[in-house]
Every structure is written in structure tokens, then in C-alpha cells.
Amino acid sequence: MSSSLTCAKLTILTITGVTIQIIGLSLFVYGFFPVKPALSGVSGAESFRPPTCTPLHNQTDSDLPPHNLKSLYKELSGIAPFDRLVLMVIDGLPAEFVLGKDDKPPPKALMDAMPYTQSLLANGMAIGYHAKAAPPTVTMPRLKAMVSGAIGGFLDVAFNFNTQALLDDNLLGQFLKIGWKMVMFGDETWLKLFPGLFTRHDGVGSFFVKDTVQVDQNVSRHLGDELSRDDWDLMVLHYLGLDHVGHIGGRNSILMAPKLLEMDKVVKMIHTSVIAGQENGQGQTLLVVVSDHGMTYNGNHGGSSFEETDSLALFIGLRNHVSDYALYTLNTVYQVDVAPTLALLFGVPIPKNNVGVLLSGTFGSFTDDQQLKALELNSWQLLRLLQAQLPGLSCENSPCDGFSDDQGCRINKCSGNIENTICCLYLKATMLHSSWRLKDVSSRPYSREDYSGIVAAYYEFLKTASEWLSRRVTDKPVNLLAFGVAAMMLSCLILLSLIFSFYKEVYNMKMQQCFDSKYSMHTWSLVETFVLGVILILVSLPVEASRSLFGLYKGNKKIAFQMCSIFVLIISGRTLRGWHQGGVNWTYLPDISKWLEKAGSNHVKSIQLVSGLLMISLCLFALSLSGSRRKISLAVGFSFLMFGLLVLQHIQKYQDNIFVSSNYNATLLVQIIFAGLGIATIGTFVAYPWLMPICISKICSSHHSFMSGSVPIEIQNEYPLLELKNSLYLIGWAYLFCWCLLQLLLQQPINALPMLLLFVQILASLIYASNGGVHHKQWVEIAALYYLGMAGHFALGNSNTLATIDVAGAFIGMSSYSTLLSGILMFIITYASPSFFLLSIVMYISVDTSYLVIPQKADSEHLLKNMLAFPCLVPLGVNSIILTAYTIVLLLMRNHLFVWSVFSPKYLYVCATTLCVYIGVSFVAATVIYSYLVLALRKRMQGFSSIDTR
């Protein structure tokens, strides 16, 4: 057959379009999400000199042994009162659990859960801060922020699962230079960030969230012995249990209060052992309790909401004895401020790429000279970083010796461009400081107002500089971004052109045959049916609607079935829309899921079990409609039924034990289900085309009216069209059954009924398509399936923020952590609905009849093209439109305030959706092509056998 768009040409152009799209997307992501530039090298003795002055001569850090370097730093800084640090990280602890929120203390239950910590705060022996973390709020980038003071790139959220060594200047590297001995117990992320740095360590995996007990006991079991030792200077304790409790049960988990009490006992043990009894001059130890991020009410994190960014910074042992409790428990600072504060408290240079500001209140027990010196050192470090990022910045009037006259000190207001503003603020602070020094040296009296003015001037400069450095948009390679966008636009045009060309070809073919076709009487489109359905629901009375449907059923059963399908789609869609409130602005509004959760877990479990039974029943009913060999269908159905019952057993027996750290029987049962479903599904896909019977054309076509009426007898004799339809029906059913059981096992219990409704929507769509005849619009139905899948994505509780990703479900059935396996499970859970509807396209092809409009001289390539063109091209084309549109939006919003907190997470979801479409389309194409080739081979071999028999 001669055609302008052959199967080979269509395949090559489709693959070309997808390849160009992948290249364009890769270039854009690489250009838009670069790793933030960092100054090379590490800070040294030059950090204690103003940046505008000549460096110290004959004084290189590398030439000095550690103890001499430590003495030099202490001499130059004039601060350094502490010599040992205990850094306790409580993963996922929201600051409001300890410090309260909105000028109110924490709830009594939370205060009772941490009595010793609360007593330290109440007695002024601890200072607490709400340390705002930058998105993405996941562990690795947040740890890097606290030890380096730098804000990493947005794609650190991906590197969080494969941590690499931290090469930038950081506190631990500075401590190592002065000869500190360091030990670490807890999250193995520290070992990956700082390989070979710790003299003793015991790392635990951070992603196996089912473990809420042993993961912390592995840390605390070392504590008694280590606190009695004096051969370490830094001890890092990273507790993961509280974060795991949140992932499994949310903020209100029944395990949250016991876990907080456990952490409080650790604080008490450290404080009473090494801090409470120490006296001035006998070696000072500081305990710093921090959290890397907070958590949402569901216990997840990764986004930019207050609940996720509200991390804790608690300093115990500063000897401030603050009298105003509220003053130092309601302060809001930034997480990066921890790095310069610790550097100055321990007398080491501030890391080069730090953008943090000294925490006010931590130097309350120091002299005025020491406090101003600390602010000065912080200002010098930030000015150096500013000069590296603003080459034209030059504040030449700052004094090099720390002294100047009063000239130019009276600067009231700084304005102009960023360079002028920064220099003005810096000069104002340094000149006020120099003037104050002169008055102090000459024994002139000075007032507290002068001192407060200097502190205010320094903080004005520091906060302005920090804010600009934190929000500074990284220079992006415009040419690379433009090329990436152009490639995606070209790919989009290629895919849409293919859809249009094939639609034109199919339309012309149908027009040539419709004059003689008895099926041209009723060519209802989806749009027409939808409009009629809405009118019947919203305008007509129920009785009148029923009469209308009955009349339609008597006149044309197929239209009536289509109308009923539309009604089912509308009702189920509206129920799904109200199941979860999506979006940051609406997530706190009431919805069906919240109402059911308040009713209790028993009600949720009952709904989950009923939904599972209904899904299994619907799948078995759909299987019974198969026109293929009954014994094979029953065997396949029985195997899936067996695993379905195992899933229900798991829900009934182990659902309430979800908080148990490890349950061997539950894990083994899930692994059996995983293996069984995989074998049954792959086995059905591979074996069924070889086992199903090959029919004689005359007998087979007589049982299928569309086949006998629209497909030439020559085509029926040569190609296995009916066998292919039956084979795809059973294989597609196996895909859907397997996916239903997987989601029953992996999804949150509250999502069982939405999964049932999604399955009902698929069945309704298939019923609509099967009654559409050969002249309905196939591309519209495929697009509708795609959009139903995306709508279901949000109906399952997903959103455009990373915080709604279900981490806990990714470890069901896993006895140990595996990045690959947990990543696959996380993808399956997150993209359950889009993948569900993409897999349903296999069954759609089996019930669809529009591709059976075949010319007299068609070949196998033409048949495959008719079957696969729209099912593969439409999802790819629609997704390419969305991907290209969001890429352009992200490019236009690259300087927006919310580019990293709102637009970038959404774009990552769009990229992941693109991957989902690629995988789904590949499954559909592979299934159809494999089944067709096997059946065609068998039919040809049967034809040869018939000839030989004759």
C-alpha cells in the first residue's frame, strides 16, 4: 500500500521527536539548575584582616602545625571561649515543638514530652531559635547549609539520595586544620559528606523509615562511653527516629511524644555529664541541638511551607543566663546563621562561601569588644564574598588598622544600586566602630546608645548582604537555555504534525468508506455526549432523565451505554475532586479524606477492604467477558485472585502494626506478593500470545460484526486481528489487575476508594469506546484518558510540592534500604494514576474498532500503524505541549521570588510526568508489537500447515 506516512517513517519521526525532546530537556535542566558557584580554597588567617587590606606576610596556614594554627586563630580572633562541641541533630524536629509558635508556648503535651529541655529554656540556660531552612527541605543540603553557611543548588534534592563528599569550605574542615578529633554516630550522610574525617563512627541508613527504634538506639548506645572520654573535640549525634515517626504517622502520631521524651533524656544526659558541672577555665563544652528541617502535618517534607522550613537551633551552655525567656525562644533566624556563629564561638575562620549572619544573643556573656569583633569578622567575610560576586565592588575608604577619625561617620541613609548600598552600609558600620574604639582608648565616656548603634549598623549591613547573596539569581547560560527551549518546541511541532497528518489520513479513509457503511448513522463525538450528559443531569428531572435514557436504550443501545459511561465519569470525577484538597492555599480546607480520618482508623480500614474486594470483583468480571480460551483465562484469573486475597490479608493483619519498626512476616508476605504479581503479569504478557487459539477467519469474523463488515476477507485470512484483540484484552486486564493490587498494598489506606473510582473511570471509558463504532474520534478518547489520569494524580493527594511524596510507602516489603528499589516504589506510588490510565490503553486498543477501517491492500505495517499511532502519539503530543509550556513559564519566571519554592518543584513534577509518559507509551507499544508478531508468526505457520495437509 502506498501512503505518505508509512509505519517505518512514523516510527522514525516519533523516535526523533522524543530524542530531540530529551536532549532539549537535558540542556535546559543543566542550564537552569546549575550547582551554585563556590569560591575555591578555604578561609585562613587572612579572615582576621579586612578584605581591602594587604594580606599578612610570612603567615601561611599550611606551614603551621595544628596546635600552632589553633593558637594563631585564637590570638587573631580574641574570642574562642569553647573547646569542645556536641552537635545533636534531631532529624525532622519542628522548632515549634520546642519553642512554640505565634508568641505562644508549645501545647502542654509537647512541653511534658521534653521537660528537661523546657526547664533549661525557662531558667535561661538555653537559647532557642526558629532557624528557617531553605528549600528543598531534605537532609543533605540542610546539613551542608549548617556546616558551610552556604545555600546549595535546588537539585540537591536529587543528590540527597546519593550523597557525595563535601569539598567546599566548611566547619568540620576548619576544625580538622586545628587538630580536632571528631566522632560521629547516626545518619550515615555525615560519613558520605566527610569520608575519613571521623576517628570513631557508627553510621545508620537514613531512608529506611520503617525503623523508628533501633535507628536511635544505635546512636545512644555509644553515648555513655563517649561522654566519659576526653579524646574527642567534636561529637556529632544524628537521630533519625523522629523523622521516621513523622513519615509513618504524621505530627500527631502516637509515637511522637515518646520519641520527644527519648530525645529529652539524651539532652539531659549530655548536659548533666559535661556541661552542668564545668567551671570557667576548666575547658568549656557547648551543646547545640539542631534539626535539619520540619515536617508537614502528614509528616512529610521537601517543600517551602512554614511547617517544613521551621527547624530548630538550640544552644545550651553559653552561660548567658537570659532572664527574658520569650526573648530567645521566639527569634526567627536562618539556618545558615549556625555556621558563622559556631565558627566564631570556637575561634576558627568563617567558611568562605557562608552567607549567614551571627546569631544575636549567642555572645551575650562576652565583653563589648568581643561582640563587636565577632560582628566585624562576619562583615569582613561577607564583604569578601560580595567582592567575588560583584567584581566592581570596592569599599576603599575602610580602615585597615581598625582606626579612623570621625570624618564620614555620620551616614544617615544608604541608597542607590546594590554596590553603592553595600559599601555605604559597610563603611557606616566600620567607621562607627573605629570612632567608638578611639573614644574607648582615650578613656572617653560612652553611652550604651553608641554601642547599640554600632551593633545595629553591623546587622543592617550583614542582613542586607546576606539577603542579596541568598537571593541572588545564579547567572544562567542564556544560549544553552534558548537551545533547550528551541529543541523542545521543535519536538512538540514534530509530534503534533504527526498527529495531524495521521488524523488527516484516517479521516480521508473513513470518508471514502462511510457512504457504504451502515455504521455512519450515529457518529457521536465525546464532546456531544458530554454536553448531553451535563444537560440531562443539571437541567432535567431524574425521572425525565431516566425516561430519556430508556428511550435511547430502546432506540440505540450503544448511545445509551455511552451516556451511562459519561454519567459514571462525571459522578466519580466529582467524588475524586472532593477527596483531597490540593495546593498550598487549600490544603487545610475540609475534604472527604480528613472527615474519614477523623472517624477513626477502623472505618478507614473497612473502606479499604471493601474497595479492595470490589476492585478484585470488577477485574474478575472483566476477565469473564474475554472471548479467548476459557481455561487459560480462568488460570490467569485464579493466580491474580490468590495474590489479591494475600493483599487483603496483609491489610487486615498488618495495617494496624504499621508503626512496628520491623515485622519479618509482614515483609515476607509483601515480598511474596511482589514476586507473584511480577511473575503472573510478565508470564501473561510473554506466554498468552503463544497459547491462545488461532481461529479460522470465516468462523471468527462471523462472531464480530465490525470485523466482518469493515475488514476485507483477504486481510482477515492473512493477519490475526481478532486474535490480537483477544490477546490484548487479557494482557491489558492483567496489567490493570496487577496495578490495582500494587496500589492497594502501597498507597495510604485512605486512598483505596479513590483507586476504586479511578478503576471505575477506566471501565466506563472502555465501555464508551467499545460502543463508539468505527467512526468515532479515537484521538479525543486517548486524550481524555490522559487527562483523567492526571486528574487522578491530584485526587490521590499529590500536589506540586515535594512534601506530598509518600516516602513511607516506598519501604513496604523492604528488609533493608536500596536506593534503586525504594526509588521505583516511590515513583509507582506518586504516579499511580497516570500510569494506571496509560496501561489501560492496551485494553482500549482491544475494545476499540476505529482502526478496523482498513483498505483492501493493507499490509502488516499499515495495521500496526493504525493500532498504535494515536495511542502512542497523543500522550506524547499532549505531554510535549505541557512540558514546553511549563519550560517557557519557568524561563520567564527565572527571576521571580518564588522560582525555587514554587515554580521549580512544579517543573520537576512535569519532568517526572514526562518520564512516566515515556514508560507508559513504551509498555503499550511493546505489548502490541510483541503480541502481533507472535500471533502473525503462528497464523502464518498454521497457514503453511493447512497447505501441507491439503
Side-chain angles (χ1 to χ4, degrees), residues 277-296:
Q278 65 189 6
E279 299 178 2
N280 293 336
Q282 294 184 355
Q284 302 297 321
T285 301
L286 178 66
L287 169 61
V288 180
V289 182
V290 297
S291 60
D292 48 355
H293 51 74
M295 64 174 67
T296 64

Side-chain angles (χ1 to χ4, degrees), residues 234-300:
L234 168 65
M235 179 165 63
V236 177
L237 306 170
H238 193 137
Y239 288 92
L240 293 162
L242 188 138
D243 179 69
H244 292 183
V245 168
H247 279 300
I248 295 174
R251 285 192 172 205
N252 298 322
S253 167
I254 59 175
L255 291 183
M256 188 60 74
K259 181 57 66 175
L260 288 172
L261 183 60
E262 180 184 347
M263 296 297 99
D264 188 65
K265 290 180 180 178
V266 174
V267 172
K268 180 179 180 180
M269 184 177 183
I270 298 172
H271 183 258
T272 55
S273 299
V274 298
I275 297 178
Q278 65 189 6
E279 299 178 2
N280 293 336
Q282 294 184 355
Q284 302 297 321
T285 301
L286 178 66
L287 169 61
V288 180
V289 182
V290 297
S291 60
D292 48 355
H293 51 74
M295 64 174 67
T296 64
Y297 288 98
N298 293 328
N300 294 321

Side-chain angles (χ1 to χ4, degrees), residues 545-797:
S546 302
R547 290 175 179 173
S548 299
L549 282 175
F550 182 72
L552 283 173
Y553 181 81
K554 291 177 65 177
N556 192 319
K557 295 181 181 180
K558 294 182 178 181
I559 296 179
F561 277 124
Q562 288 186 314
M563 293 299 305
C564 291
S565 302
I566 293 295
F567 292 154
V568 171
L569 287 172
I570 293 174
I571 295 171
S572 58
R574 185 62 190 91
T575 305
L576 288 169
R577 174 61 185 85
W579 200 264
H580 287 285
Q581 288 289 355
V584 176
N585 295 327
W586 299 279
T587 187
Y588 302 109
L589 296 178
D591 54 38
I592 301 174
S593 64
K594 294 186 182 71
W595 177 70
L596 287 175
E597 287 173 344
K598 289 180 180 179
S601 59
N602 290 332
H603 293 81
V604 175
K605 177 185 280 191
S606 298
I607 294 174
Q608 187 181 15
L609 290 172
V610 171
S611 300
L613 286 171
L614 288 175
M615 270 194 275
I616 294 173
S617 301
L618 286 173
C619 286
L620 294 176
F621 173 74
L623 175 65
S624 67
L625 301 178
S626 173
S628 55
R629 182 176 290 179
R630 292 288 179 180
K631 292 183 179 180
I632 300 177
S633 301
L634 289 176
V636 174
F638 179 77
S639 64
F640 278 100
L641 174 62
M642 179 178 64
F643 295 115
L645 294 177
L646 289 178
V647 171
L648 296 179
Q649 179 189 359
H650 179 273
I651 294 172
Q652 176 65 31
K653 191 172 182 180
Y654 299 109
Q655 193 76 61
D656 293 335
N657 298 327
I658 192 168
F659 297 125
V660 177
S661 61
S662 61
N663 189 311
Y664 175 78
N665 292 331
T667 301
L668 180 62
L669 177 59
V670 173
Q671 291 174 350
I672 292 174
I673 294 171
F674 284 163
L677 288 177
I679 293 173
T681 305
I682 296 174
T684 303
F685 162 69
V686 174
Y688 190 69
W690 292 99
L691 299 177
M692 72 170 300
I694 302 296
C695 300
I696 301 174
S697 299
K698 292 182 180 180
I699 299 176
C700 292
S701 60
S702 63
H703 288 85
H704 201 291
S705 58
F706 287 121
M707 185 79 71
S708 60
S710 59
V711 181
I713 190 63
E714 295 83 0
I715 301 296
Q716 298 180 45
N717 289 333
E718 187 173 356
Y719 303 109
L721 292 181
L722 183 58
E723 294 89 342
L724 180 62
K725 290 176 69 68
N726 292 334
S727 176
L728 293 179
Y729 184 90
L730 187 65
I731 295 174
W733 169 87
Y735 287 168
L736 297 185
F737 205 162
C738 175
W739 200 254
C740 286
L741 296 180
L742 274 179
Q743 298 307 323
L744 274 176
L745 199 61
L746 299 175
Q747 288 284 341
Q748 293 288 337
I750 199 67
N751 284 337
L753 185 57
M755 282 303 304
L756 172 63
L757 293 177
L758 292 176
F759 186 50
V760 169
Q761 285 190 330
I762 289 176
L763 293 181
S765 302
L766 295 177
I767 292 173
Y768 178 90
S770 63
N771 289 277
V774 296
H775 297 289
H776 63 101
K777 297 182 176 66
Q778 187 187 28
W779 70 271
V780 176
E781 294 170 352
I782 298 293
L785 285 174
Y786 176 88
Y787 283 115
L788 286 173
M790 291 310 302
H793 174 73
F794 296 100
L796 292 175

Side-chain angles (χ1 to χ4, degrees), residues 24-32 481 484-485 488 887 890-891 907:
L25 180 59
S26 302
L27 292 175
F28 183 85
V29 169
Y30 178 79
F32 195 88
L481 297 179
V485 173
M488 281 186 273
T887 302
L890 185 62
L891 185 63
Y907 193 71

Side-chain angles (χ1 to χ4, degrees), residues 89-100:
V89 183
I90 305 178
D91 205 294
L93 175 64
E96 63 178 291
F97 279 18
V98 181
L99 306 178

Side-chain angles (χ1 to χ4, degrees), residues 362-611:
T362 54
F363 283 72
S365 63
F366 291 61
T367 66
D368 291 345
D369 281 324
Q370 288 177 323
Q371 293 187 50
L372 292 178
K373 181 64 175 179
L375 291 170
E376 185 179 51
L377 292 174
N378 195 182
S379 300
W380 290 347
Q381 180 268 323
L382 284 183
L383 185 61
R384 283 190 177 89
L385 189 58
L386 286 166
Q387 289 174 337
Q389 305 216 17
L390 293 171
L393 182 67
S394 177
C395 305
E396 298 177 352
N397 296 327
S398 59
C400 290
D401 55 4
F403 295 92
S404 70
D405 54 21
D406 292 340
Q407 184 179 4
C409 288
R410 301 187 180 278
I411 303 175
N412 295 322
K413 186 178 181 181
C414 296
S415 59
N417 59 25
I418 186 63
E419 291 88 349
N420 293 337
T421 300
I422 286 175
C423 277
C424 174
L425 293 174
Y426 175 74
L427 292 174
K428 176 182 177 181
T430 55
M431 289 179 180
L432 285 173
H433 191 184
S434 298
S435 176
W436 183 84
R437 279 199 182 103
L438 287 172
K439 293 178 182 179
D440 188 49
V441 170
S442 59
S443 300
R444 297 175 184 174
Y446 62 93
S447 63
R448 297 301 299 175
E449 288 77 9
D450 294 333
Y451 171 78
S452 300
I454 301 170
V455 172
Y458 267 124
Y459 271 113
E460 186 178 7
F461 164 73
L462 289 170
K463 291 181 179 179
T464 302
S466 176
E467 181 180 353
W468 185 86
L469 288 167
S470 300
R471 293 185 177 180
R472 178 175 179 265
V473 179
T474 307
D475 292 332
K476 300 178 177 64
V478 178
N479 294 336
L480 195 63
L481 297 179
F483 188 82
V485 173
M488 281 186 273
M489 293 179 67
L490 176 60
S491 170
C492 184
L493 290 175
I494 292 175
L495 294 174
L496 293 180
S497 298
L498 291 176
I499 294 174
F500 178 78
S501 298
F502 185 71
Y503 175 78
K504 186 178 179 181
E505 178 181 324
V506 171
Y507 178 79
N508 291 335
M509 191 181 305
K510 289 182 178 179
M511 285 296 99
Q512 293 174 4
Q513 298 188 7
C514 72
F515 297 105
D516 300 326
S517 176
K518 62 181 178 180
Y519 305 109
S520 62
M521 296 297 295
H522 299 286
T523 57
W524 287 71
S525 69
L526 184 65
V527 177
E528 294 166 336
T529 311
F530 178 80
V531 172
L532 182 57
V534 171
I535 293 174
L536 285 174
I537 289 179
L538 299 179
V539 179
S540 303
L541 295 173
V543 176
E544 294 175 344
S546 302
R547 290 175 179 173
S548 299
L549 282 175
F550 182 72
L552 283 173
Y553 181 81
K554 291 177 65 177
N556 192 319
K557 295 181 181 180
K558 294 182 178 181
I559 296 179
F561 277 124
Q562 288 186 314
M563 293 299 305
C564 291
S565 302
I566 293 295
F567 292 154
V568 171
L569 287 172
I570 293 174
I571 295 171
S572 58
R574 185 62 190 91
T575 305
L576 288 169
R577 174 61 185 85
W579 200 264
H580 287 285
Q581 288 289 355
V584 176
N585 295 327
W586 299 279
T587 187
Y588 302 109
L589 296 178
D591 54 38
I592 301 174
S593 64
K594 294 186 182 71
W595 177 70
L596 287 175
E597 287 173 344
K598 289 180 180 179
S601 59
N602 290 332
H603 293 81
V604 175
K605 177 185 280 191
S606 298
I607 294 174
Q608 187 181 15
L609 290 172
V610 171
S611 300

